């Protein structure tokens, strides 16, 4: 791979709904650019982007792939992202380092949930963008309807550049709206110019008006000329479009057929022509020594700095840290400083990745995207810079996972292998979390969705040769009491020689503080229980509250007062008093009106207006208390409190109710007494687990 200077680079992220055609678009672009000698397909499992075994098996993108496409004197770094929200972290990492985006829309499916989500991500980061409509060779595709829907949704930003031409139900050419000329593909794959067909003239007039109006919006002078009915020259239109696309006031709409590799030539020409190179973009970090702003701005003369936006830790292709050079020019013999880890990193060789293939390069200029192999300490979202100029860039915010399941090794003895494999997967996927819930005797795996966790399970089996079983998690219930009781227990055991003797009398009552497991007091008089056995009594309480008599869940909010008992001068021991206390506790607990406490979450659900009724009805079935709603544009935010046990598989249900457009988040608020039917069910489940 050649070395490219900053002005010759375009960093473009492909966004859109799952199945819209992002990966096949990359194939067509790579083929047209001469990067490959034939086009692969997701069906055949031979695309450059979807090289992972799991992606081939499922026919979907799971990870972001980097495909650098040489085009003339330029290089277009394409970041092909997954379209399904299950893998949102991959998309968030890619968007963080892109300078522009192409939102891909299927001409058959039209504007979908993923389209709107992609637009919102671009808006959030103020990313210049284009829209590319695929599947124009399909009879069911309607470019006109898609443009109309985009204009209705996003207004005058939308500027169609082309119109499809069909003859005898075949996609044969296009009309260039800027030039107002028609072009037809010939047998050599090039285009022949011809007159605009009569049946396209009405649509051309509509698209031309939309384009000119979008151009007029770019300046007051143009707006005044537009209202005066003046025509703009082609050069004026193109100049205004360059400015408008970069400042996000104009969003070009292009179209083509991925399978026929038609429309990609104009797409790549327009990427280079209209989308910004890194030297026209801004990026700033913070000097860690002085806390002053470091305006890197992809300038090659400034001190070297780079941001690690993604990690690949694959047992087959090794570990690579994908970076974007934010300033300076990186070379293989450089040593850079990682402020976050307080460590120096010797870079070694520099690489450019193309799918799963790594190609060595001599240097990487500011604004370019490349890879470093086997960095010792650095991780995703870390910054590399020089020790003389230590800086840090804002870390990418990754979506928090809310779906979790309990897991365990299928084969005994695999625990260490599973732990090592998961640590590599956690390094790659920042939306995956592992939590050791010691209180409830389970290890939890958190992900974005149930499918996300299933894929993790499959990857562990396929790549790392270890199997885990995913199960419904144990909810973190707690047990407490509602009454005051007086109870005792005498532990007496004779086994030849010294025996065991411990006798305690205790009063148990609610402490009023359910955040603290227990409160221990003693009011023994007359030495009925010697002071040196008080610690043993407390140890007995500590053991007893770990798993309550009701269903084995941790006990909380209990006050224990040791007020009497007896001892034996020879047979009494710390162990005897500990055991006596445990037994007294269990006996008294069951007499003190034991109840089950369940964790309650504060839930936020964001859904389209049309889905609110279904969501509210479903929440009521889940024992939730709806607290209110907040309008968010054409969406509604539903606020509720809901028991944790009712959140199980909620992601799947919400996806179904909202057709993929709903999102939810929650956080713990408090414990509440569980209804009697829930208590009985949990107790029954606990008995069956024994």
């Amino acid at each position: 791979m050649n070395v490219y200077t900053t002005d010759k680079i375009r960093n473009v992220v492909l966004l859109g709904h799952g199945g819209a055609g992002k990966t096949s678009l990359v194939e067509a672009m790579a083929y047209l650019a001469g990067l490959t000698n034939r086009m692969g397909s997701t069906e055949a499992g031979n695309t450059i982007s979807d090289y992972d075994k799991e992606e081939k098996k499922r026919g979907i993108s799971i990870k972001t792939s980097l495909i650098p496409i040489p085009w003339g004197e330029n290089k277009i770094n394409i970041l092909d992202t997954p379209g399904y929200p299950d893998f949102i972290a991959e998309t968030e990492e890619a968007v963080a380092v892109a300078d522009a985006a192409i939102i891909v829309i299927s001409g058959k499916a039209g504007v979908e949930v993923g389209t709107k989500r992609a637009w919102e991500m671009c808006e959030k980061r103020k990313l210049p963008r284009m829209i590319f409509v695929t599947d124009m060779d399909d009879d069911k595709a309607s470019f006109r309807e898609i443009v109309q829907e985009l204009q209705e949704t996003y207004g005058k930003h939308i500027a169609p550049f082309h119109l499809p031409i069909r003859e005898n139900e075949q996609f044969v050419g296009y009309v260039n709206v800027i030039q107002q000329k028609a072009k037809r593909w010939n047998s050599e794959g090039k285009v022949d110019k011809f007159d605009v067909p009569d049946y396209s003239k009405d649509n051309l007039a509509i698209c031309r008006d939309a384009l000119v109006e979008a151009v007029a919006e770019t300046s007051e002078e143009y707006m005044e000329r537009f209202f005066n009915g003046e025509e703009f020259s082609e050069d004026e239109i193109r100049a205004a479009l360059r400015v408008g696309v970069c400042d996000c006031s104009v969003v070009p709409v292009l179209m083509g057929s991925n399978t026929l590799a038609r429309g990609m030539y104009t797409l790549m020409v327009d990427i280079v022509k209209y989308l910004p190179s890194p030297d026209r973009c801004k990026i700033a970090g913070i000097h860690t020594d002085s806390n002053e702003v470091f305006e890197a701005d992809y300038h090659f003369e400034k001190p070297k700095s780079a941001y690690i936006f993604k990690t690949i830790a694959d047992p087959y292709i090794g570990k690579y840290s994908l970076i974007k050079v934010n300033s300076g020019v990186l070379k293989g013999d450089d040593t850079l400083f990682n402020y976050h880890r307080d460590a120096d990193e010797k870079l070694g060789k520099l690489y450019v990745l193309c799918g799963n293939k790594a190609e060595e390069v001599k240097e990487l200029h500011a604004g370019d995207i490349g890879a470093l192999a086997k960095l010792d300490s650095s991780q995703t979202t870390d910054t590399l810079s020089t020790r003389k100029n230590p800086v840090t860039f804002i870390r990418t915010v990754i979506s928090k996972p809310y779906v979790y399941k309990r897991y365990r090794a299928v084969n005994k003895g695999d625990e260490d292998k599973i732990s090592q494999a998961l640590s590599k997967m956690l390094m790659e996927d920042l939306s995956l979390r592992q939590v050791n819930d010691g209180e409830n005797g389970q290890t939890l795996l958190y992900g974005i969705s149930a499918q996300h966790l299933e894929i993790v399970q499959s990857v562990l089996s396929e790549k790392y040769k270890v199997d885990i079983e995913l199960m419904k998690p144990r909810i973190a219930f707690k047990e407490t009491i509602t009454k005051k009781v007086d109870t005792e227990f005498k532990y007496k055991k004779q086994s030849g020689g010294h025996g065991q003797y411990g006798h305690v009398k205790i009063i148990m009552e609610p402490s009023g503080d359910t955040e603290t497991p227990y409160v221990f007091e003693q009011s023994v008089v007359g030495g009925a229980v010697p002071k040196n056995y008080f610690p043993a009594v407390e140890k007995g309480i500590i053991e007893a509250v770990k798993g309550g008599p009701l269903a084995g869940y941790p006990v909380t909010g209990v006050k224990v007062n040791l007020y009497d008992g007896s001892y034996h001068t020879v047979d009494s021991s710390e162990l005897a008093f500990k055991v006596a206390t445990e037994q007294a506790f269990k006996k008294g607990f069951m007499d003190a009106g034991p109840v089950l406490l369940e964790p309650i979450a504060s839930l936020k659900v964001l859904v389209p207006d049309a889905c609110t009724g279904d969501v509210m009805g479903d929440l009521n079935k889940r024992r939730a208390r709806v607290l209110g709603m907040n309008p968010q544009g054409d969406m509604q935010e539903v606020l509720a409190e809901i028991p944790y046990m009712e959140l199980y598989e909620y992601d799947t249900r919400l996806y179904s109710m909202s057709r993929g457009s709903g999102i939810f988040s929650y956080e713990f608020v408090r414990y509440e007494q569980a209804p009697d039917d829930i208590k009985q069910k949990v107790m029954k489940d606990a008995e069956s687990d024994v």
Side-chain angles (χ1 to χ4, degrees):
M1 178 67 72
N2 295 330
V3 172
Y4 292 84
T5 55
T6 309
D7 60 318
K8 301 298 183 185
I9 296 166
R10 302 293 184 276
N11 297 312
V12 182
V13 60
L14 296 191
L15 303 172
H17 197 81
K22 297 182 292 298
T23 299
S24 58
L25 175 59
V26 175
E27 285 298 309
M29 293 169 75
Y31 174 71
L32 197 63
L35 196 63
T36 59
N37 54 20
R38 66 185 179 88
M39 288 195 294
S41 69
T42 52
E43 292 79 13
N46 59 353
T47 63
I48 310 172
S49 296
D50 292 353
Y51 58 84
D52 188 83
K53 196 170 183 179
E54 202 65 33
E55 292 176 314
K56 292 178 182 180
K57 182 172 79 174
R58 296 173 184 266
I60 60 173
S61 296
I62 293 172
K63 298 180 178 180
T64 290
S65 293
L66 175 63
I67 314 294
I69 297 178
W71 188 249
E73 297 179 347
N74 303 281
K75 178 176 71 164
I76 305 171
N77 285 322
I78 295 290
L79 294 150
D80 181 18
T81 67
Y84 292 96
D86 314 76
F87 320 110
I88 186 66
E90 295 283 332
T91 306
E92 289 166 334
E93 289 171 346
V95 168
V97 294
D99 302 317
I102 295 174
I103 299 175
V104 181
I105 300 176
S106 165
K108 295 181 291 184
V111 177
E112 299 176 272
V113 171
T115 312
K116 295 176 181 177
R117 190 175 286 122
W119 183 279
E120 287 163 8
M121 292 182 84
C122 292
E123 285 288 284
K124 190 175 179 181
R125 295 191 65 91
K126 294 183 171 55
L127 268 189
R129 74 216 68 153
M130 291 178 170
I131 291 172
F132 189 82
V133 182
T134 63
D135 299 325
M136 293 315 299
D137 55 315
D138 194 288
D139 287 342
K140 296 176 183 177
S142 176
F143 184 74
R144 179 179 56 81
E145 288 179 8
I146 290 172
V147 170
Q148 282 179 345
E149 187 173 354
L150 288 169
Q151 288 172 335
E152 287 168 7
T153 308
Y154 303 118
K156 297 174 183 177
H157 295 298
I158 303 302
F161 273 23
H162 303 124
L163 282 173
I165 294 176
R166 280 197 177 85
E167 290 178 1
N168 300 320
E169 299 181 352
Q170 299 293 315
F171 177 49
V172 297
Y174 64 95
V175 177
N176 186 311
V177 178
I178 299 173
Q179 298 174 340
Q180 300 186 84
K181 293 178 181 176
K183 299 179 182 182
R184 185 198 310 271
W185 286 287
N186 57 35
S187 56
E188 298 174 359
K190 298 179 181 178
V191 290
D192 299 322
K193 296 178 182 178
F194 69 107
D195 293 333
V196 176
D198 290 339
Y199 58 80
S200 295
K201 288 180 178 177
D202 287 344
N203 281 341
L204 172 59
I206 294 168
C207 289
R208 176 77 177 181
D209 288 345
L211 177 67
V212 170
E213 194 169 351
V215 166
E217 294 277 338
T218 61
S219 75
E220 291 183 9
E221 178 196 343
Y222 279 17
M223 182 61 76
E224 188 176 340
R225 287 177 58 188
F226 174 73
F227 282 123
N228 289 335
E230 294 182 36
E231 286 287 328
F232 299 124
S233 69
E234 185 178 324
D235 288 342
E236 286 176 327
I237 289 173
R238 292 193 185 280
L241 287 172
R242 286 189 188 97
V243 174
V245 171
C246 287
D247 68 14
C248 301
S249 61
V250 176
V251 178
V253 185
L254 297 87
M255 53 87 224
S257 164
N258 297 348
T259 53
L260 299 176
R262 290 180 174 175
M264 286 77 227
Y265 182 92
T266 52
L267 173 62
M268 288 192 280
V269 167
D270 286 346
I271 285 173
V272 173
K273 191 180 293 181
Y274 296 110
L275 296 182
S277 53
D279 60 342
R280 296 174 64 188
C281 302
K282 299 286 185 183
I283 182 73
I286 298 292
H287 281 280
T288 57
D289 287 344
S290 62
N291 281 336
E292 292 179 355
V293 175
F294 172 62
E295 294 178 349
D297 295 339
Y298 307 111
H299 202 290
F300 73 96
E301 290 183 330
K302 293 192 175 180
K304 301 178 185 190
S305 67
Y307 176 73
I308 301 173
F309 70 93
K310 178 177 170 57
T311 300
I312 298 173
D314 192 283
Y316 302 122
I317 68 173
K319 180 191 172 186
Y320 288 98
S321 299
L322 272 63
I323 60 166
K324 185 178 186 184
V325 184
N326 287 350
S327 57
V329 178
L330 296 195
K331 298 187 178 181
D333 58 355
D334 286 335
T335 297
L336 294 182
F337 175 61
N338 185 329
Y339 163 76
H340 306 286
R341 314 290 164 192
D342 191 24
D344 289 314
E345 294 279 15
K346 177 74 175 171
L347 300 193
K349 295 178 180 179
L350 304 177
Y351 297 95
V352 169
L353 292 186
C354 182
N356 64 343
K357 293 184 175 66
E359 187 175 341
E360 189 178 346
V361 287
K362 291 181 180 178
E363 55 190 36
L364 288 169
H365 283 242
D368 208 349
I369 293 175
L372 305 172
K374 299 176 183 176
L375 294 183
D376 293 331
S377 307
S378 300
Q379 297 178 20
T380 306
T381 74
D382 284 356
T383 297
L384 299 174
S385 57
T386 63
R387 272 199 177 268
K388 289 184 179 178
N389 189 66
V391 298
T392 180
F393 295 98
I394 295 173
R395 293 179 182 272
T396 306
V397 177
I398 302 297
S399 291
K400 185 178 176 181
Y402 289 102
V403 177
Y404 63 99
K405 288 192 176 184
R406 175 166 52 123
Y407 79 89
R408 66 182 175 204
V410 171
N411 301 311
K412 287 185 178 180
D414 276 356
E415 286 80 7
D416 286 345
K417 290 180 183 177
I418 291 169
S419 180
Q420 291 170 14
L422 276 175
S423 67
K424 291 180 181 178
M425 295 182 72
L426 290 165
M427 193 187 300
E428 280 192 293
D429 186 352
L430 298 188
S431 65
L432 190 64
R433 278 176 53 210
Q434 183 186 21
V435 175
N436 184 20
D437 179 13
E439 267 196 349
N440 295 289
Q442 60 183 354
T443 312
L444 303 173
L445 205 56
Y446 278 77
I448 297 297
S449 67
Q451 179 173 249
H452 186 197
L453 295 179
E454 285 166 12
I455 287 174
V456 169
Q457 181 184 31
S458 183
V459 169
L460 284 170
S461 180
E462 292 284 341
K463 275 190 182 178
Y464 296 97
K465 310 304 177 188
V466 287
D467 294 314
I468 63 169
E469 182 184 359
L470 291 173
M471 299 162 288
K472 186 175 181 177
R474 284 189 94 201
I475 300 301
F477 291 108
K478 290 190 177 181
E479 300 178 20
T480 192
I481 56 176
T482 58
K483 298 176 186 176
K484 182 177 181 179
V485 294
D486 188 337
T487 186
E488 67 173 305
F489 192 88
K490 184 182 291 184
Y491 178 63
K492 190 174 181 181
K493 190 174 181 183
Q494 206 67 42
S495 56
H498 285 309
Q500 295 286 353
Y501 184 91
H503 177 210
V504 295
K505 293 182 179 182
I506 59 176
I507 293 174
M508 296 174 62
E509 60 185 311
S511 69
D513 178 11
T514 54
E515 292 185 7
T516 305
Y518 71 92
V519 175
F520 173 58
E521 295 178 352
Q522 60 78 26
S523 55
V524 178
V525 292
V529 177
K531 288 183 180 179
N532 58 307
Y533 292 128
F534 291 172
V537 171
E538 186 167 7
K539 283 181 184 176
I541 298 169
I542 291 170
E543 285 300 314
V545 298
K546 287 180 181 177
L550 206 59
Y553 289 97
V555 171
T556 190
V558 176
K559 180 180 176 182
V560 180
N561 180 24
L562 173 67
Y563 72 92
D564 200 2
S566 61
Y567 74 103
H568 190 279
T569 52
V570 176
D571 291 345
S572 284
S573 65
E574 288 190 2
L575 176 62
F577 273 97
K578 178 175 171 290
V579 172
T581 305
E582 281 186 65
Q583 296 303 319
F585 188 97
K586 290 178 182 178
K587 178 185 171 189
F589 192 92
M590 295 307 288
D591 295 334
V595 293
L596 194 69
L597 299 176
E598 64 177 341
I600 304 297
S602 172
L603 175 70
K604 293 180 181 178
V605 187
L606 192 65
V607 288
D609 281 328
C611 304
T612 343
D614 289 342
V615 168
M616 302 266 274
D618 181 70
L619 287 175
N620 288 330
K621 290 177 186 175
R622 293 173 182 266
R623 299 191 291 124
R625 288 189 294 271
V626 177
L627 304 177
M629 292 193 300
N630 295 323
Q632 307 272 348
D634 60 349
M635 306 280 278
Q636 284 284 351
E637 183 185 56
V638 181
L639 306 176
E641 288 185 347
I642 186 170
Y644 265 69
M645 72 178 298
E646 301 295 347
L647 284 169
Y648 185 65
E649 296 185 337
Y650 185 65
D651 62 308
T652 307
R653 180 67 186 133
L654 180 61
Y655 188 92
S656 173
M657 288 187 294
S658 65
R659 295 181 182 177
S661 58
I663 56 173
F664 73 100
S665 62
Y666 61 86
E667 59 183 20
F668 171 78
V669 282
R670 65 180 175 278
Y671 273 90
E672 281 185 5
Q673 185 173 329
D676 194 56
D677 60 327
I678 299 298
K679 172 184 166 183
Q680 297 303 325
K681 181 180 182 301
V682 171
M683 289 174 66
K684 187 176 179 182
D685 290 344
E687 286 175 11
S688 62
D689 285 344
V690 174

